[in-house]
Amino acid sequence: MLALVAASPIVVAVALFFARTKATTMATASLATGVLAALFFFPTPLGDLLAAGAMFGPTILEVLLILFAGVLLSRITTETGAMDRISGWLRQSASNQQAGAVLVIFGLVPFAESVTGFGIGVTVGVPLLLQMAHSVKHTAVLSLLGLVAVPWGALGPGSLVAADLAGLTLFDVGVRSALMTLPVVLGAGVVSWLVLRDGSPRPGRLLAHLLGAAVLLNAGILGANLLMGTPPAGIVGSLLVLAVHLLAFRAGGSLVPAGRKVWVALLPYGVLTLGLLAARALTSEMDASLLKRALSSGGVWLVVACLVAQYASASLGGRSGRLRGRALLAYRSWVPVGVATGGFTILGALLAATGMGRELGAALAGIGTGYLVLGPVLNGLAGFISGSNTAANSMLAATQAQAAAAMGSSVLQIVAVSNVTASMATMLSPSRMLLAYEMAIMPVSSAAGALPRPAPPSEREVTAWIAPRLGVLLGIVCTLLGLVTWVIH
């Protein structure tokens, strides 16, 4: 009985998703259900609740700051033309269409996603792939396949939430997530090849290029996690892919000189990455404290990057605008994301603090070791529903940890695998597929020219083409990672 009550907030979220309600409604209704369940069935002393608030409060605030600053940075770099400068330079430097596609999938999309999150990588990748003469369907699916670094998206708030709710360190979750991401990037490389092979004169070479870039990205992320910490790992790994490709383009004679404006456009990202690394180095010997957390916070350095982007990128020729106005527009865009993510994160803390997560975890552990295979699939469903690994981990990380502990299995392994599967499932999320489609048809429907453009395919047609390909990939990877977790147990 208590297990059913403990599961009620998650059941409400799933039911509202299939009822096609907004994410903010899902989050607030689920949180309200959790509060009622805690009041009537899981009474908790006020002191314990306050202690939980002190423990999880900084994490929740940091996540919300990261999300807001990510939205603001995306708006500033878009309006000032900084992102157009960077992406245009890379497109012009690509030696051929296939090399350009690989660069976008495993370099530019993961980089943009690691810096700002929210599927922003899709909005960067789609226009480039269209300019490389890929079809709407191919453009949409290839840009979604680039979302392989979501555990480190927006400097990793989802991984941070998972670590805190499960009682683990962010470092351990980041490293194990990187190890478990290898099947994800390899799977994305294979599906990308299946999409691109018909138009490739040398399909075998294309497959080797895709898989090599996938392994390079994963190795870069893993190495950065080990040497620099989790927040900048996605940025560093994707920069490694970009750097290797640029060196290859230079060797082949196709590299276009960057120029001053490109370097100015890159400046905010350089400040963000170097600032995070320097802060981590300077605070590594300090005791854990709010000061250390603030100095090494991705949110704080994202704000610094926003200031740099605002005032250093004014010479790029894009739209001018005051920081206050852009911050207000970013706030309006952030509100639904912040409410949904904040609601699910508070719910996760509530499940952990009141014992609901422990009760549900014990019930799930009753399934036996088979739950080690089912658990990652469950988190994948949460990622698909919410379109966010942060929200998915907020709902289920504490429960996954309790279930693993009850079975005597590795809490780190199931939490990391669940983090990866929830992140991967955001590729298939309806909101992400809609974003990719809308971005892909925008240039087609608005382009002007002497030659008429064919009418773009419908949303239903594109979704029906994408969903089976990503769905099969997700199913295979979730099952494989679940089996790995079972074998480790």
Side-chain angles (χ1 to χ4, degrees), residues 109 118-127 129-130 135-147 426-444 456-459 462-463 466 470:
V109 173
F118 319 107
I120 295 300
V122 172
T123 70
V124 173
V126 166
L129 291 168
L130 285 174
S135 68
V136 169
K137 290 180 181 178
H138 286 187
T139 291
V141 74
L142 292 174
S143 63
L144 289 168
L145 286 167
L147 298 178
T426 61
M427 293 181 187
L428 194 56
S429 171
S431 61
R432 292 288 185 269
M433 287 196 290
L434 178 61
L435 175 64
Y437 172 75
E438 292 292 344
M439 289 294 299
I441 66 168
M442 193 180 303
V444 174
S458 68
E459 178 190 345
V462 173
T463 300
I466 292 175
L470 295 185

Side-chain angles (χ1 to χ4, degrees), residues 154-182:
L155 306 184
S159 298
L160 175 63
V161 166
D164 273 20
L165 291 178
L168 302 167
T169 67
L170 178 58
F171 175 83
D172 288 341
V173 171
V175 171
R176 186 64 64 92
S177 295
L179 290 170
M180 294 298 106
T181 296
L182 181 59

